[in-house]
Amino acid sequence: MKKNRFLALALSALMSAFAFTACTTAADDTANAGTDAAGSDGADTAAVQTLTYDDVKIGVIHIGNPADGSGYTYAHDQGIVGMQQELGLRDDQIVRKNNVSDSDPAATETAIRECIEEGCNIIFGTSWGYMDKMESLAAEFPDVYFCHGTGYKNNGTNLNNYFGRIYQARYLSGIVAGMKTEKNYIGYVAAKPIPEVIRGINAFTLGVQSVNPDAKVEVFFTDTWYDPAQEKSGALELLNKGVDVIAQHQDTTAPQVAAEEKGAYCIGYNFPTPDAAPKAYLTAACFDWATFYVDDCKRAIDGTWTSRAYWEGLSEHMTYLDTLTDLCAEGTQEKVDEAQASIIDGTFDPFTGPLYDQDGNLKLEDGVRMTDDEIWNMNWFVQGVVGTIPQ
């Protein structure tokens, strides 16, 4: 699936007109219902300048350090690397600002201003907390393209937002976990109790139950995106309760390491990490951020860049399921292939009714599909999830 990854994304970027996480808040997502979340506001006004391959210079604001070699920041940076290779850009045309806390507005502003001072005319901010500063600085620097990952704001001129429909790949990874578990008891180490994370848990659980209706998924919230020690501690708590597969919405491989240490199995996230826990790793729900980065930079160069809300998934290879390892249960590949084909051709969506909440209340009628706004703002657990959503 990954061998011809960059070729596939390049062809996709050239042939398709593409229409967002690390860190969101429930309040902000709810406030956004019905607007930018999935591009439904129609904001597509062209930006004010056209660049060339020689003068384009790209700034990237990272919440972590790509040198860590795994997780969210590494996945984003691999997208930047793929974009640079596809467009033939020089190293001096890429400026990285690493370890910029998205909870520190001053640090965010400093990093962005440094990029602009160094000549950057496209800036990608990869984490949620950068959003407001990117919005205000976009107004101050109208000739710079601002692109915010995982958020919802765009301004109609030089600020857009982007994310991937990772819930689709999570559904597929749920199939893998549902077929592997022998105890019908699966653990999920989750970051923040926000719609982005909740819809991932729900999609994963629905995937599990599509092949194993008796299985349950218990959730442990760490309340942090990046804390290897806390992530591992959460995984161990679940493993000590008896789960035999661990999934995660966290930035490091610590839950996978914990699973291997306890003789269980694991589902990764963000980027393929089979080497982190080779005796436990089944697959991972992944992003291919280069799909967006190539497309967006090409648009800036050919004059078709728009202030849009980009939210694509399996069909555009913005998200994908990593290659299944030999540890997966027999017949898993066939089940995954079938579900993936139906999601890609549009005949099926993971959030199609009937859907019930934890208390057995019908939330979505039979055959009805959730709207993008409903998916984007999901704040309840589906039946089969064990645990509560912290307030």
Side-chain angles (χ1 to χ4, degrees), residues 109-155:
E109 179 169 354
T110 295
I112 293 172
R113 288 188 180 277
E114 286 177 353
C115 285
I116 295 172
E117 290 168 0
E118 292 176 46
C120 294
N121 38 42
I122 302 177
I123 296 177
F124 295 110
T126 64
S127 194
W128 169 268
Y130 304 148
M131 182 169 61
D132 291 340
K133 276 298 177 183
M134 293 195 79
E135 181 184 35
S136 62
L137 290 170
E140 183 177 344
F141 297 96
D143 291 331
V144 175
Y145 297 87
F146 287 81
C147 314
H148 180 245
T150 77
Y152 62 84
K153 292 184 177 181
N154 51 55
N155 63 5

Side-chain angles (χ1 to χ4, degrees), residues 183-197:
K183 297 181 178 179
N184 292 335
Y185 187 25
I186 297 167
Y188 197 112
V189 184
K192 301 280 186 176
I194 60 171
E196 177 195 337
V197 177

Side-chain angles (χ1 to χ4, degrees), residues 50 56 77 113 144 147 220 250 320 334 345 371 379:
T50 300
V56 65
D77 205 64
R113 288 188 180 277
V144 175
C147 314
F220 182 96
Q250 298 281 183
Y320 66 97
E334 290 76 12
D345 69 21
T371 66
N379 62 359

Side-chain angles (χ1 to χ4, degrees), residues 34 49 121 169-171 185 208-209 218 222 280 300 320 335 341 354:
Q49 67 169 322
N121 38 42
R170 286 203 184 278
Y171 180 89
Y185 187 25
V208 167
Q209 297 196 327
E218 182 163 352
T222 65
Y320 66 97
K335 290 291 186 181

